[in-house]
Amino acid sequence: MTEAILEVDALERRFDVSAPWLNRVIERKPRRTLRAVDGVDFDIARGQTLALVGESGCGKSTIAKLVTGLHAPSGGKIRFNGDPEKMQMIFQDPFASLNPRWRVGRIVAEPLRTLNPQAPEAQVTARVEELLDTVGLSPADAVKYPHEFSGGQRQRISIARALAGEPEFLVCDEPTSALDVSVQAQVLNLMKRLQREMGLTYLFISHDLSVVRHMADVIAVMYLGRIVEIQPTADLFATPLHPYTRMLLDTIPDLEAPKRDRAPMGGEVPSPVSPPSGCSFHPRCPLAFDRCTRERPEREPRVHDRRVACFAAAENTDV
Amino acid sequence: MTQTVLDVRNLRVEFPTRHGTLTAVDDISLTIERGEILGVVGESGAGKSMTGMAILGLLEPPGRIAAGEIHLSGDRIDTLTEPHMQRVRGRRIGAIFQDPLTSLNPLFRVGDQLVETIHLHTELGKSAARQRAMDLMREVGIPAVEERIDNYPHQFSGGMRQRIVIALALCAEPELIIADEPTTALDVSIQAQITALLKRLCRDRGTAVMLVTHDMGVIAETADRVAVMYAGRLAELGAVEDVVRRPQHPYTEGLMGSIPSLHSDEGELRMIPGSMPRLGSIPAGCAFNPRCAHAGPRCRREIPRTHGTGAACWLTLEGETA
């Protein structure tokens, strides 16, 4: 096994979503906490891509913010075996994450100047031009403003800015979900090429299983703040173990084998403020039995990269 | 026997601006039969929503229909005055938009909104309208209707809200429903529930549906025929299996190739170089020619058109690069 660049252990993050103090006093409302991330652990090997997938509210973006230090964990540990300055982030919305008043050259140069304040101007300019070229933009684009670019080009600017810090590790939170498919293909191909050439490690967050299949080496499926299953990509698609993963794979529209007469699964993701008892998936699970309503399936001891938190799946397979 | 519900002929939508007139929809012709779902796909800015808005008579000024005709079951509707068009919307055409909150008033109970709409478009009295509202809510799959009918929109989840919007669109039993990205804001498991619901309603009631979306997967599983739009023009129109499996237009082909597969990891994704032109800078000839590997001199001169099934491409229209 290669060395892990990131080790996440029993990570927790709770948010206080209580009513304001006065309301609590007058209306006798209790404090309420939302467990956005509820005991999550995974490793990412250097040079690999681990993807977190799940529906909205499952906690995947909170993990991105915990890993990059934008939130502090409420419990558990995150160990980054590298220089913290070598971690960068790419956000979903290339419209909100670039300063509209700065020229592209200044946006990309900012991390360079932060890392090396004494760098001569000519060196910074040369490096900016090189970076723009790397992501498929023209060096002449440095004098333009973000609004002059399309969504896909803006995401390239975000990537150039992230690369300026010479990162080893990139946290990508839904980097292509705001883009059209043909542009998404360009950005995904670029990210894969950069990974190959620079040996980058990605934590890739997405709700789109087909994108994740294309990008990831290992996939962790999340449901209500917990990882329900983690497997290498090909294995997850070949033998999904958790009923929730199977449901997800069944419900995504499939271009090559369209399921035109599907009977969709009922139910919705419950509120994370008051999750169901036991296994939080049990109200929607076709395999649930009485133990699932009482006990929470714990994560299996670490055998390979293949773990599932499900009583039914654990009985049927020897993981 | 088929029965044409919607017949759009040579529709052209223009936006006059200070820098000249922009053509958002350029010479589009399409039809939808009773009980049929027509998918309209394209990337952002391709004009697919604009086509839907033009049919609904909801173009924001200065946008206007500059040419063409829109017929609903034989009646021309693009020339109607706004009061007349208001009666057509709701009664004969239902609309479902991406964000259910824009279609629901947050200050009124959902039941009251349904009853008001039913009251407006039908002859039913108060209690009969309430009964009908409950039937509709049941039909779109809302549990515990007796309790939920008096809830406010914020008390429902996103998927349930979209079901209520669909119930609203169904109030007057319209001939045509225009659904503009109805599942884009929803998670996959809810998305599958909503598209299944649309399909069932279309089959059971014979409603014609125009499903506008950017998601080819949703189209492949829901639509009967599909129209692919590019830069305001129709690139290709055909049966959904044909367009997905045997795309004729190089743009459609590129679009299909750029979608990551669920069945294999093909290494590098195929990609179309460049991006769709902005409305103000559409190239002469075929709008796709600067990105097309097969473009010839004729493609740079003349606009290829398709009216009916087929691809708007000189390669397929002429059988060779002209």
Side-chain angles (χ1 to χ4, degrees):
Chain A
M1 173 103 187
T2 41
E3 172 214 2
I5 189 166
L6 185 81
E7 295 167 65
V8 170
D9 192 23
L11 185 64
E12 275 185 39
R13 171 70 206 200
R14 294 178 294 270
F15 291 102
D16 188 349
V17 290
S18 311
W21 174 80
L22 198 60
N23 293 58
R24 286 208 309 276
V25 171
I26 297 172
E27 297 162 23
R28 299 176 182 245
K29 283 189 176 165
R31 274 197 170 276
R32 280 148 67 89
T33 35
L34 182 151
R35 293 169 168 271
V37 177
D38 191 9
V40 159
D41 47 11
F42 59 86
D43 293 349
I44 308 179
R46 198 176 284 274
Q48 292 225 307
T49 301
L50 177 118
L52 295 175
V53 287
E55 300 182 270
S56 36
C58 71
K60 54 193 194 301
S61 291
T62 308
I63 292 186
K65 289 184 179 148
L66 290 166
V67 168
T68 45
L70 296 174
H71 282 324
S74 319
K77 276 200 296 282
I78 302 170
R79 239 185 86 174
F80 183 61
N81 300 317
D83 182 350
E85 282 187 345
K86 304 271 179 193
M87 187 192 287
Q88 292 285 338
M89 184 155 178
I90 301 171
F91 297 91
Q92 173 175 354
D93 188 352
F95 296 81
S97 57
L98 300 174
N99 188 334
R101 294 172 186 222
W102 283 17
R103 291 178 199 273
V104 167
R106 188 173 167 196
I107 292 174
V108 177
E110 196 196 16
L112 295 172
R113 296 213 171 88
T114 313
L115 287 176
N116 185 0
Q118 272 89 47
E121 201 53 34
Q123 191 188 323
V124 171
T125 314
R127 178 79 183 124
V128 166
E129 289 182 355
E130 194 183 308
L131 284 164
L132 290 176
D133 188 55
T134 308
V135 297
L137 294 169
S138 152
D141 289 333
V143 295
K144 294 188 188 164
Y145 287 97
H147 76 262
E148 296 175 65
F149 295 88
S150 67
Q153 288 171 318
R154 278 184 231 207
Q155 205 55 304
R156 288 171 192 267
I157 298 169
S158 304
I159 295 172
R161 176 179 60 185
L163 294 178
E166 292 183 15
E168 299 171 337
F169 183 77
L170 278 176
V171 178
C172 318
D173 188 3
E174 303 266 13
T176 61
S177 41
L179 307 178
D180 282 315
V181 276
S182 73
V183 178
Q184 163 173 289
Q186 296 172 4
V187 172
L188 294 180
N189 282 344
L190 169 68
M191 291 180 65
K192 271 199 135 173
R193 196 193 81 213
L194 295 172
Q195 178 168 44
R196 245 188 347 260
E197 289 172 1
M198 304 180 177
L200 299 172
T201 309
Y202 291 142
L203 173 59
F204 193 94
I205 288 152
S206 177
H207 68 282
D208 187 330
L209 275 162
S210 59
V211 166
V212 158
R213 153 138 223 176
H214 184 70
M215 294 299 290
D217 299 295
V218 180
I219 296 177
V221 180
M222 293 193 65
Y223 189 74
L224 281 180
R226 313 192 75 205
I227 291 178
V228 295
E229 171 167 5
I230 185 164
Q231 285 208 71
T233 304
D235 298 348
L236 185 100
F237 278 84
T239 48
L241 298 172
H242 198 283
Y244 178 62
T245 314
R246 268 182 247 153
M247 189 210 85
L248 272 186
L249 287 173
D250 277 347
T251 44
I252 22 174
D254 190 341
L255 204 54
E256 288 145 89
K259 299 179 270 290
R260 293 185 64 95
D261 299 307
R262 65 159 90 247
M265 187 172 195
E268 302 186 356
V269 182
S271 159
V273 178
S274 48
S277 63
C279 169
S280 49
F281 188 61
H282 84 256
R284 304 172 74 190
C285 182
L287 304 177
F289 51 102
D290 50 349
R291 186 178 176 194
C292 306
T293 62
R294 290 191 317 265
E295 248 178 274
R296 209 162 86 156
E298 287 307 319
R299 44 210 151 85
E300 304 275 318
R302 293 186 178 207
V303 194
H304 317 297
D305 258 342
R306 197 169 169 219
R307 284 175 293 142
V308 57
C310 172
F311 295 125
E315 273 180 19
N316 295 332
T317 49
D318 27 327
V319 181
Chain B
M1 216 196 80
T2 54
Q3 199 182 326
T4 304
V5 174
L6 180 71
D7 185 1
V8 175
R9 298 177 199 160
N10 306 94
L11 179 70
R12 191 180 165 87
V13 173
E14 290 183 347
F15 280 79
T17 70
R18 272 183 303 163
H19 310 289
T21 300
L22 301 179
T23 308
V25 176
D26 187 358
D27 200 12
I28 297 274
S29 300
L30 46 85
T31 58
I32 311 180
E33 308 294 324
R34 206 178 121 77
E36 184 187 41
I37 302 183
L38 175 80
V40 179
V41 280
E43 303 183 70
S44 28
K48 51 191 194 311
S49 294
M50 210 60 85
T51 307
M53 289 309 225
I55 295 167
L56 284 165
L58 289 175
L59 287 174
E60 294 230 357
R64 63 192 183 92
I65 296 178
E69 298 178 6
I70 302 169
H71 297 259
L72 182 68
S73 304
D75 307 324
R76 186 160 179 191
I77 56 168
D78 59 301
T79 47
L80 293 180
T81 56
E82 181 49 29
H84 281 101
M85 196 58 207
Q86 255 178 28
R87 236 169 295 154
V88 170
R89 273 196 306 270
R91 190 169 301 182
R92 299 185 60 190
I93 311 179
I96 303 164
F97 297 109
Q98 176 172 341
D99 181 1
L101 285 179
T102 57
S103 310
L104 295 170
N105 188 328
L107 300 178
F108 289 93
R109 298 170 200 276
V110 296
D112 294 346
Q113 299 188 49
L114 282 162
V115 168
E116 190 202 336
T117 313
I118 294 166
H119 207 62
L120 195 68
H121 294 299
T122 65
E123 312 294 305
L124 293 179
K126 256 264 146 64
S127 66
R130 191 172 162 91
Q131 192 52 50
R132 175 140 175 72
M134 299 222 275
D135 292 344
L136 280 169
M137 285 174 74
R138 259 180 229 115
E139 188 171 353
V140 297
I142 290 169
V145 167
E146 287 76 10
E147 299 155 34
R148 309 289 328 245
I149 189 165
D150 290 320
N151 283 166
Y152 290 91
H154 75 267
Q155 292 170 293
F156 291 86
S157 66
M160 285 295 156
R161 273 183 215 139
Q162 197 61 300
R163 285 170 197 266
I164 291 176
V165 172
I166 294 174
L168 267 175
L170 290 175
C171 279
E173 308 209 354
E175 298 144 61
L176 172 70
I177 288 182
I178 295 186
D180 190 349
E181 305 273 7
T183 60
T184 306
L186 308 173
D187 279 318
V188 277
S189 58
I190 312 300
Q191 171 177 305
Q193 295 169 10
I194 297 289
T195 50
L197 170 65
L198 271 178
K199 251 164 42 179
R200 179 165 62 79
L201 295 171
C202 174
R203 202 176 46 226
D204 296 353
R205 295 166 164 256
T207 317
V209 177
M210 179 166 155
L211 177 64
V212 176
T213 176
H214 69 284
D215 190 330
M216 273 315 293
V218 169
I219 293 281
E221 299 203 341
T222 316
D224 301 301
R225 287 187 304 138
V226 56
V228 183
M229 288 188 72
Y230 185 81
R233 299 175 194 162
L234 208 54
E236 183 163 359
L237 195 150
V240 72
E241 317 84 70
D242 292 340
V243 175
V244 171
R245 294 201 184 278
R246 291 174 294 279
Q248 304 281 306
H249 197 288
Y251 171 65
T252 321
E253 205 189 334
L255 196 64
M256 297 300 159
S258 61
I259 302 169
S261 168
L262 279 169
H263 301 280
S264 61
D265 184 0
E266 54 287 270
E268 187 106 325
L269 291 171
R270 269 203 294 156
M271 51 185 194
I272 314 173
S275 53
M276 197 170 68
R278 294 186 184 186
L279 287 183
S281 52
I282 294 174
C286 172
F288 188 62
N289 86 67
R291 305 173 72 189
C292 181
H294 315 286
R298 185 166 187 186
C299 308
R300 292 183 202 104
R301 258 190 345 256
E302 277 178 73
I303 301 178
R305 301 274 187 198
T306 176
H307 296 286
T309 304
C313 172
W314 289 122
L315 277 172
T316 50
L317 291 172
E318 296 287 296
E320 57 182 311
T321 311

